[in-house]
Amino acid sequence: MKIKIFMMICLVFLFSSCNKWLDVDLADKVTEEKLFGTPQGYQEALAGVYSTMASPALYGQKLTMEDIDVLAQYYNYDGIAADYEKLKKYDYEDSGSQGRILAIWRGLYAAISGANNIIKWAGSDNKVLDAPTKNQVLGEAYALRAYLHFDLIRMFCPDVKKSPKASGIPYNLQFGVSLPPVYTVEENVQLVVDDLKEAETLLAKDPITLVKPYEMVNKNMADKYVARMNLYGVKALLARVALMRGDKTSAIKYAKEVIDAQRFRLLDFANADKPETEIDMLFSDEHIFSLRNKNLSDYTIGLHYPEVIGNSTRFAYLPFVNISTTYEGNNDDIRYIKWFSTVNGSFVKYNVANKDKFFPKMPMIKLSEMYLILAECYLGKDDQAAQTYINTLRDHRIRNNSHWTYLTMDYIMQEVKREFLGEGQLWYAYKRLNLGIQTSSGIVGMVPPSDKIFVFPMPLKEIETGNRN
């Protein structure tokens, strides 16, 4: 019941930017006092934020396997559905594109409001929560606030290395109806780091420090530690943020801390040499932070599978393209043979066969990303170390892997492309590195890098009602 109350509070914020920034009546105080009147209520409130994030409107679909991966050109440029025609061309001025962008903007800020409400109540709570529980709740809430703002920055701001003083986004530091100020891009990123450092301190005694989730046979039990923001999720996000900033020293530091903690492990091929119902398609032992959603199979089927309707067949809305080329036709690459059907080529990564044993999850941060970050950061600084990290990752992806003895950024980007299908990370990598994006269209070819393709315009309704210009 309490989670439903919290979701209603979030929904009020989601659909309420008509007159000015979150111009709404706050949820009844008595209802909030009831929600935050017990330790369980705080857990329900956190679950509400995670549920909002895992919804198809956000990371369950739009920000991962759908809109963001359309921008990364994973899909057949000439074969995707008409609904994505403007998006694939980076036409953000189109009314349909603006509707998509507005929904993302409102959805993320609604989740931020949920995190801020938890921070408000837990921060002033001296009776309901004991000290360890209070630190855990606040730590997760601060980390979630940082994660959500960071992705808004990645979508709506120019790259911080190129335009640090450019106008950024509102960074919402408190729950309520006030209009948050717009900061510069570099100030936005620093606020993310500040929230993460606060979370790192609060989560110093996170229960995950006492266990190794990958050792748990029951992955649902492991999810209690990784299907939420945790200490190592904070460190991994700090590595991701530092890389975007160009702070390779900090990126190396945090990525190594995650790896050296030995709470996660790269794929063991023995776990893939099993019957279909016994295979963990998502490599859960590598998940540092993921979101559970039992409907992920439905989402991927709706997007990536053809549908038979009577005597006719509707083509997939988002068909993948050149997958054999992406994986170099290498049947020893576990991603190639397990994420795509060997029968009909369908994308099966999220179409989990045994949902009781492997509950469907969307990876938000994975151990493999730490190896890729280290390979990139050491490239040109210590090429031997860079090769060691990329080869270690590939050893756990490709049987009988032949080690690379020569490494370039292009090689690393090829591995990034192979690694993050359906996860919404490739487009951000192109942006961070200011790289052109190759389409599958012989006519369009390479789309050159620019803010036109890498920066979403702030939604017109928010400019009109919040005086953002």
Side-chain angles (χ1 to χ4, degrees):
M1 179 63 184
K2 290 178 181 176
I3 193 169
K4 291 182 178 178
I5 293 172
F6 185 82
M7 291 297 289
M8 289 175 66
I9 294 172
C10 282
L11 286 171
V12 168
F13 283 87
L14 179 58
F15 296 111
S16 58
S17 296
C18 296
N19 296 315
K20 57 184 177 180
W21 178 266
L22 299 179
D23 183 14
V24 295
D25 293 325
L26 295 180
D28 183 80
K29 185 177 180 180
V30 175
T31 302
E32 288 197 1
E33 287 177 348
K34 181 179 180 180
L35 175 66
F36 295 110
T38 65
Q40 180 62 25
Y42 281 95
Q43 297 304 320
E44 295 283 358
L46 280 169
V49 178
Y50 290 124
S51 180
T52 299
M53 292 173 66
S55 71
L58 295 177
Y59 297 99
Q61 181 172 318
K62 291 289 184 183
L63 296 180
T64 50
M65 68 176 82
E66 191 178 4
D67 291 4
I68 301 300
D69 271 2
V70 168
L71 298 176
Q73 301 295 339
Y74 270 122
Y75 303 117
N76 188 332
Y77 191 90
D78 298 316
I80 66 175
D83 286 351
Y84 303 97
E85 188 71 21
K86 299 296 184 180
L87 195 64
K88 75 178 185 183
K89 296 178 179 178
Y90 308 100
D91 182 358
Y92 303 142
E93 301 304 320
D94 170 70
S95 60
S97 297
Q98 290 184 357
R100 290 176 181 274
I101 291 169
L102 178 61
I104 290 169
W105 173 278
R106 287 182 173 175
L108 288 172
Y109 275 112
I112 289 168
S113 291
N116 277 336
N117 201 21
I118 295 168
I119 292 170
K120 182 190 78 170
W121 282 88
S124 60
D125 183 294
N126 295 312
K127 298 179 180 178
V128 177
L129 301 176
D130 59 34
T133 305
K134 182 175 180 177
N135 285 344
Q136 186 70 32
V137 167
L138 280 170
E140 288 187 45
Y142 275 108
L144 290 172
R145 185 169 79 180
Y147 193 107
L148 294 159
H149 276 110
F150 183 61
D151 275 358
L152 281 160
I153 293 166
R154 292 203 288 178
M155 283 181 274
F156 290 93
C157 298
D159 182 74
V160 66
K161 299 184 296 300
K162 291 171 51 183
S163 306
K165 302 298 183 182
S167 179
I169 59 165
Y171 202 101
N172 199 348
L173 293 167
Q174 63 184 39
F175 177 79
V177 297
S178 60
L179 189 69
V182 173
Y183 297 86
T184 66
V185 180
E186 66 178 354
E187 288 171 338
N188 279 150
V189 176
Q190 186 58 49
L191 286 165
V192 168
V193 172
D194 292 346
D195 273 350
L196 289 173
K197 296 297 290 183
E198 179 70 14
E200 186 180 27
T201 299
L202 290 164
L203 294 174
K205 295 184 178 181
D206 190 320
I208 199 172
T209 61
L210 304 176
V211 300
K212 292 185 177 181
Y214 73 83
E215 292 182 342
M216 298 177 181
V217 176
N218 185 337
K219 296 309 173 187
N220 288 313
M221 182 64 68
D223 283 351
K224 293 182 179 180
Y225 300 94
V226 299
R228 62 173 181 82
M229 250 305 191
N230 56 68
L231 176 62
Y232 301 108
V234 169
K235 291 178 182 293
L237 186 54
L238 278 164
R240 183 185 283 179
V241 174
L243 185 65
M244 188 188 81
R245 269 182 138 172
D247 180 2
K248 293 184 177 180
T249 300
S250 294
I252 289 171
K253 171 184 181 293
Y254 286 112
K256 281 187 172 182
E257 285 184 12
V258 173
I259 292 173
D260 292 346
Q262 298 182 19
R263 292 298 181 271
F264 320 93
R265 70 174 177 186
L266 293 172
L267 175 72
D268 181 348
F269 283 116
N271 292 330
D273 295 332
K274 296 178 179 180
E276 203 69 22
T277 57
E278 297 299 311
I279 296 175
D280 181 6
M281 310 284 277
L282 293 174
F283 311 163
S284 298
D285 289 347
E286 299 187 15
H287 290 193
I288 302 169
F289 168 41
S290 55
L291 294 170
R292 286 164 60 102
N293 186 324
K294 65 181 180 181
N295 296 318
L296 286 180
S297 294
D298 295 335
Y299 304 157
T300 193
I301 289 171
L303 292 174
H304 304 124
Y305 287 54
E307 180 183 5
V308 177
I309 306 173
N311 295 322
S312 61
T313 299
R314 171 188 62 75
F315 293 111
Y317 290 125
L318 294 177
F320 281 90
V321 68
N322 298 332
I323 290 303
S324 177
T325 301
T326 297
Y327 291 101
E328 300 176 328
N330 189 350
N331 288 324
D332 284 334
D333 194 315
I334 199 74
R335 296 163 296 193
Y336 182 37
I337 63 173
K338 296 302 180 184
W339 289 351
F340 291 88
S341 169
T342 56
V343 177
N344 57 21
S346 296
F347 183 57
V348 297
K349 182 176 180 178
Y350 297 115
N351 196 3
V352 179
N354 187 346
K355 293 183 177 63
D356 292 330
K357 185 169 185 177
F358 303 112
F359 197 94
K361 297 182 288 286
M362 176 58 68
M364 302 293 278
I365 312 179
K366 303 187 300 186
L367 186 61
S368 58
E369 183 178 347
M370 300 301 102
Y371 283 85
L372 289 165
I373 285 175
L374 287 167
E376 181 177 338
C377 288
Y378 277 118
L379 185 65
K381 175 181 179 181
D382 183 343
D383 287 345
Q384 189 62 50
Q387 290 169 24
T388 297
Y389 282 111
I390 199 76
N391 284 326
T392 299
L393 173 60
R394 285 169 56 83
D395 284 344
H396 291 268
R397 292 294 185 266
I398 304 170
R399 296 179 194 274
N400 308 310
N401 175 46
S402 297
H403 282 192
W404 283 341
T405 57
Y406 174 73
L407 188 62
T408 67
M409 195 62 229
D410 183 58
Y411 284 15
I412 294 174
M413 279 301 296
Q414 289 176 28
E415 208 59 38
V416 169
K417 186 174 183 178
R418 296 181 189 113
E419 186 65 24
F420 294 112
L421 281 90
E423 298 180 30
Q425 294 299 328
L426 179 60
W427 180 67
Y428 296 128
Y430 286 137
K431 176 176 180 175
R432 177 174 57 78
L433 295 166
N434 196 38
L435 297 176
I437 302 179
Q438 182 70 49
T439 77
S440 61
S441 169
I443 298 175
V444 177
M446 179 78 72
V447 180
S450 71
D451 285 352
K452 180 182 183 299
I453 70 170
F454 287 137
V455 181
F456 289 176
M458 191 179 292
L460 291 176
K461 289 187 178 180
E462 304 307 320
I463 295 174
E464 294 166 359
T465 59
N467 298 315
R468 309 295 187 188
N469 51 41

